[in-house]
Amino acid sequence: QAFPSPNPSITTMAALHPRSVLLLLPLLLSLRHASAALPQRILRRLPPSRPCGAHAIASKKRAVLGGLMSSAVFASVLGPRAAHAAKRRDPVNRPDLLPKSGEMTRLIDVTGMLSKSQEKLVNEMLVTLEKDTGLKLRVLCQTYPETPGLAIQDYWNVDADTVVLVADPELTGNLLNFNVGDNIDLKVPRNFWGRVSGKFGAKVFWEKEGPDSAVVNAISSIDSCVRASEMGVRGACAPGTIKARDSAEDSRFGMLLR
């Protein structure tokens, strides 16, 4: 039985010297087996395939949302939305920790992180922001396991136009954790949320200024970024625009005192 040769010169040499076939046969067989095994060897060395493009983004967001709902926290959105992963926790589903009033509130403060005056003004900001821009910003202040957990998904109807800010000092080392809906990427740069979290959620900030100040400043920065983006202001959400509010200069936050 003749075997195809990967090298034409070997075939020519075998034809000119028939006795050399016996000498070349082991070489031809080894070449044939090596060429057949080569693709499998290469495939074994390749890393596992990963989703790319839009599929990768969708997969990551599903993982983030799943992590929140099963752990009662959102994975932090830092850098490329993954600098700090939330620790795995047992699922929590406590609708009894949801507000008792019949009307839906955009702010849920389970642990009393904000003062009453802060809660009132933050709620007003969230309502106005949603009315003016369509962005649904929701804020949950908690300390795990004291959290509504799974119950907030239906309560807030979390969808592609929703940003949920979870403020919890115990879970990831960063106070501020975001889950960002798919449609928000069209309005706000993806790395904006990481910069806000890195600025105001860092322990060095909120331990000095207070977690309430971190939450208020984060909401203020989001408000400014989204409104400026709606107006087409270039660089509206750039790093230099994320600054701590001075209550003496900003009347909207002048009353936000502990």
Side-chain angles (χ1 to χ4, degrees):
Q1 182 180 357
F3 296 96
S5 172
N7 191 332
S9 63
I10 295 178
T11 303
T12 303
M13 183 177 64
L16 293 176
H17 305 282
R19 293 182 180 179
S20 64
V21 172
L22 293 177
L23 298 175
L24 292 173
L25 186 57
L27 175 61
L28 293 174
L29 288 173
S30 63
L31 289 174
R32 184 184 183 187
H33 292 310
S35 62
L38 182 60
Q40 295 300 322
R41 292 177 182 175
I42 294 175
L43 288 175
R44 284 197 295 267
R45 293 180 181 180
L46 290 177
S49 60
R50 296 179 180 178
C52 58
H55 181 62
I57 296 172
S59 299
K60 183 175 290 184
K61 288 185 177 180
R62 284 194 296 271
V64 169
L65 187 58
L68 165 74
M69 295 309 175
S70 63
S71 310
V73 294
F74 291 100
S76 296
V77 185
L78 297 176
R81 298 186 175 189
H84 289 286
K87 299 177 182 178
R88 298 299 299 177
R89 304 282 179 170
D90 292 332
V92 176
N93 187 4
R94 295 191 56 185
D96 59 295
L97 293 180
L98 294 172
K100 300 300 187 291
S101 60
E103 184 178 357
M104 188 272 291
T105 176
R106 292 160 176 81
L107 166 67
I108 300 176
D109 187 1
V110 179
T111 57
M113 190 176 295
L114 305 178
S115 67
K116 293 300 181 182
S117 60
Q118 287 173 323
E119 287 186 6
K120 180 180 178 181
L121 291 179
V122 166
N123 263 312
E124 291 176 356
M125 282 199 69
L126 300 180
V127 170
T128 305
L129 179 64
E130 184 173 346
K131 179 180 178 181
D132 294 345
T133 68
L135 185 142
K136 299 192 291 184
L137 179 59
R138 306 291 185 256
V139 180
L140 171 62
C141 300
Q142 64 171 45
T143 301
Y144 181 87
E146 292 300 309
T147 172
L150 292 162
I152 69 169
Q153 187 175 23
D154 292 333
Y155 179 77
W156 279 334
N157 189 26
V158 177
D159 58 17
D161 295 308
T162 306
V163 175
V164 180
L165 164 59
V166 178
D168 189 321
E170 300 296 332
L171 291 170
T172 66
N174 192 297
L175 177 71
L176 306 177
N177 307 279
F178 293 96
N179 185 79
V180 183
D182 291 328
N183 293 341
I184 308 303
D185 286 338
L186 303 176
K187 298 181 179 181
V188 180
R190 296 178 186 176
N191 56 7
F192 169 76
W193 311 101
R195 292 198 295 263
V196 172
S197 187
K199 172 71 175 180
F200 302 118
K203 197 171 184 179
V204 65
F205 181 90
W206 63 264
E207 281 193 338
K208 178 181 178 182
E209 304 295 337
D212 58 335
S213 176
V215 171
V216 168
N217 276 288
I219 296 171
S220 175
S221 293
I222 295 169
D223 183 275
S224 299
C225 166
V226 175
R227 290 182 183 279
S229 297
E230 288 282 314
M231 298 172 59
V233 177
R234 188 174 182 179
C237 305
T241 63
I242 303 174
K243 299 178 180 179
R245 291 281 182 172
D246 185 343
S247 59
E249 298 177 358
D250 191 341
S251 60
R252 297 176 67 185
F253 287 88
M255 294 176 62
L256 295 182
L257 303 175
R258 283 177 288 173

